[in-house]
Amino acid sequence: MTKPAVRVAVTGAAGQICYSLLFRIANGDVYGKDQPVILQLLDLPQAQNAVKGVVMELEDCAFPLLAGVVITDDPKVAFKDVDAAFLVGARPRSKGMERADLLLANAEIFKVQGAALNAVAKRDVKVLVVGNPANTNAYITAKSAPDLPAGNITAMLRLDHNRALSQFAAKIGANSADIEKLAVWGNHSPTMFADYRFATVKGEPLPKLVNDEEWYRGTLIPTVGKRGAAIIEARGLSSAASAANAAVDHMRDWIHGTNGGWVSMGIASDGSYGIPEGIVFGFPAVCSNGSYEVVKGLEISEYAQSMLNITLKELLDERDGVSAIVG
Ligand SMILES: NC(=O)C1=CN([C@@H]2O[C@H](COP(=O)(O)OP(=O)(O)OC[C@H]3O[C@@H](n4cnc5c(N)ncnc54)[C@H](O)[C@@H]3O)[C@@H](O)[C@H]2O)C=CC1
Ligand SMILES: O=C([O-])CC(=O)C(=O)O
């Protein structure tokens, strides 16, 4: 028997990330190959025509799982009764900008959308914020949606996680799928901390296989941290297909679980590791039964602590920067 359809809201539907993301969701890559989905697409009034064009292309794929599409410029229509929401729509940065430069331009969007989710989404809606600066936008969304569990509003660190996996795999000649227990902590920004101290490859410690702490600190960490800027430099546009892929990975794992594997997610802190409560911070997490748990009790070395302090400081500054908007 066919399952009832789930409702998935996606914002920024006319944009570059959605040009990949929507097709992946409609193909069953997030909810699974037996789960019909209804897409509820939000974009600005001036982008409605472009969204219609994308929907024509979705129709032309004849996806068996696509049970319906709603197109709207009203967040309360887009988020009505949704099971999941991908908050992608926001201004992207261009050459020479840092993601934090988008803070005030995008903060208002997430305040409005948080309030709309609060009003009309399912009470257990799973929200992934992709629009930058993703952690602080997720923080604003959560603060604007006081009736939803703050834990259900997450930010995307998965692109950084996947970037780090690829870089390590290339360094040691391994398959990225064999690297386990990698963690990316902190902000989705150049201050993020890709932490390989607990990672293993087929049971062997990754630091031992890399055997080059100088490369790890001096090359791997900045390469992953500045990868978004490198892509903008090369493409003239910010990453899109890889961002959509990371969004699919994040939501699919949250829904279906990770079989004990670690992933990196931007999560509202419960105070773990000295991160102030409510700050949306990249943590290692394990997903099961439609929920996630931060990996607790990891030893934090002096170097790791210094890296956590840097990325936390940036997030606290961002939080202070939006305090007038969040109230
Ligand atoms: N967290 C992450 O790892 C990543 C985040 N991003 C971010 O994702 C966001 C979207 O990127 P792209 O798709 O490349 O941008 P884009 O400019 O191609 O598309 C953005 C879309 O959002 C729409 N939009 C703007 N304000 C809106 C609002 N209030 N409500 C609904 N829709 C709205 C625009 O009309 C446009 O169609 C950017 O902020 C970008 O920096 C990009 C890559 C990775
Ligand atoms: O760098 C950007 O502006 C887009 C992004 O977040 C990324 O590619 O990580």
Side-chain angles (χ1 to χ4, degrees), residues 244-326:
N245 180 67
V248 166
D249 285 351
H250 177 117
M251 197 64 96
R252 180 205 58 225
D253 285 350
W254 188 0
I255 293 163
H256 295 289
T258 55
N259 275 322
W262 293 16
V263 288
S264 303
M265 298 171 74
I267 292 168
S269 176
D270 64 359
S272 299
Y273 299 103
I275 308 305
E277 218 177 305
I279 290 290
V280 178
F281 200 83
F283 287 107
V286 173
C287 305
S288 64
N289 300 322
S291 128
Y292 64 77
E293 292 278 350
V294 170
V295 179
K296 299 271 174 79
L298 297 172
E299 194 200 315
I300 302 299
S301 64
E302 204 176 305
Y303 173 68
Q305 189 61 57
S306 70
M307 297 300 279
L308 294 190
N309 291 348
I310 292 168
T311 195
L312 175 60
K313 159 97 175 52
E314 185 179 47
L315 280 168
L316 293 175
D317 288 348
E318 289 185 17
R319 180 196 62 184
D320 294 348
V322 297
S323 60
I325 289 167
V326 172

Side-chain angles (χ1 to χ4, degrees), residues 16-17 91-94 97-99 102 130-134 156 159-160 163 188-189 224-232 237-240 242-243:
Q16 343 171 54
I17 294 176
R91 219 186 113 186
R93 63 174 168 153
S94 41
M97 289 172 86
E98 277 307 333
R99 296 182 189 101
L102 299 170
V130 174
N132 278 317
M156 194 160 92
L159 185 52
D160 309 279
R163 286 169 172 165
H188 172 62
S189 87
V224 174
K226 294 184 197 146
R227 186 71 163 183
I231 288 166
I232 294 171
L237 289 168
S238 60
S239 65
S242 57

Side-chain angles (χ1 to χ4, degrees), residues 164-185:
L165 284 178
S166 265
Q167 298 290 328
F168 280 122
K171 172 78 174 169
I172 61 169
N175 189 308
S176 58
D178 290 330
I179 302 177
E180 295 182 282
K181 296 191 172 174
L182 183 73
V184 181
W185 303 84

Side-chain angles (χ1 to χ4, degrees), residues 10-19 42-47 50-51 72-73 75 87-93 99 102 106 108-110 112-113 129-135 137 155-160 163 188 235 237-240 242-244 246:
V10 189
T11 74
Q16 343 171 54
I17 294 176
C18 287
Y19 197 60
L42 180 72
D43 209 308
L44 297 173
Q46 60 271 29
V51 178
T72 181
D73 60 8
L87 305 189
V88 180
R91 219 186 113 186
R93 63 174 168 153
R99 296 182 189 101
L102 299 170
N106 287 338
E108 200 61 47
I109 296 176
F110 293 87
V112 169
Q113 294 186 0
V129 176
V130 174
N132 278 317
N135 297 53
N137 288 339
M156 194 160 92
L157 268 291
R158 188 59 175 267
L159 185 52
D160 309 279
R163 286 169 172 165
H188 172 62
R235 234 169 68 82
L237 289 168
S238 60
S239 65
S242 57

